[in-house]
Amino acid sequence: PSTLEQLRRFVQFAQRSPEDQQALLRMITRFALQPATALAAVFALGVVVPLLEEAAKSIGALIALSRRPGPAAAFLGGALSGAGYAVFENLFITQPGPAWGLSSVGRIGTALMHIFAAGLTGWGLGEAFVRRKWLRLLLAYAGAVALHGLWNSLALAQIYGALLAEYGPERWQTLGQAAQIVAPLLLVGLPQDAKAKRTLTNL
């Protein structure tokens, strides 16, 4: 009941004066920093969303299976599906208004993650349906979900780091500041790990 009351107040304050909007921001921040909310966000974005999105992106790769592609072609089919998904996500999920272009450019790393993860699943589908190596499909899908989940979790760590540094208890502010530094560095480095990509694609 208390959560529902908070949400009702969020809506009530949403279109009012700047002072009310600041009050709304503080309320949202308090709600976001509750342990149950943080755990739910990590579970949703780090586990549930990757499971669903990687399965959805594999539909595009399934179309190419009728041609019985080799490993490289199967990977390419999945990568193209991931690229299409990334374009859709940038068009409809990024921040609207004048900042749309900037936020879209900022999501280039996310697009690369989608492309590689979907390519990995596409490769696994080719191995399973063409070469009957079903374990490779399971490993490829698990790898894609793990990569996607790690990416989302690091992005979430950056957001929570900013909230903790600005609004959190004093004992957690240093941790928040550290997360703001470390998480972006890991996000930048993750798509560039060519050695890991070669290892996965040579399974």
Side-chain angles (χ1 to χ4, degrees), residues 54 57-58 60-61 75-91 107-108 110-119:
E54 294 309 320
K57 286 189 290 183
S58 69
F75 183 91
L76 178 60
L80 289 172
S81 178
Y85 183 87
V87 169
F88 169 83
E89 193 173 67
N90 270 9
L91 287 174
R107 289 181 56 84
I108 289 175
T110 303
L112 293 175
M113 179 276 295
H114 280 309
I115 291 169
F116 177 71

Side-chain angles (χ1 to χ4, degrees), residues 75 116 120 123 136 139-140 193-203:
F75 183 91
F116 177 71
L120 188 60
W123 171 83
R136 292 189 176 184
L139 292 174
D193 193 352
K195 183 177 179 181
K197 294 176 184 179
R198 285 196 299 270
T199 302
L200 288 170
T201 53
N202 288 327
L203 285 173

Side-chain angles (χ1 to χ4, degrees), residues 12 31 46 56 69 73-74 80 82 98 107 110 132 136 143 161 164 173:
Q12 180 182 356
F31 179 73
L80 289 172
R107 289 181 56 84
T110 303
R132 297 292 184 258
R136 292 189 176 184
L164 285 172
Q173 289 179 359

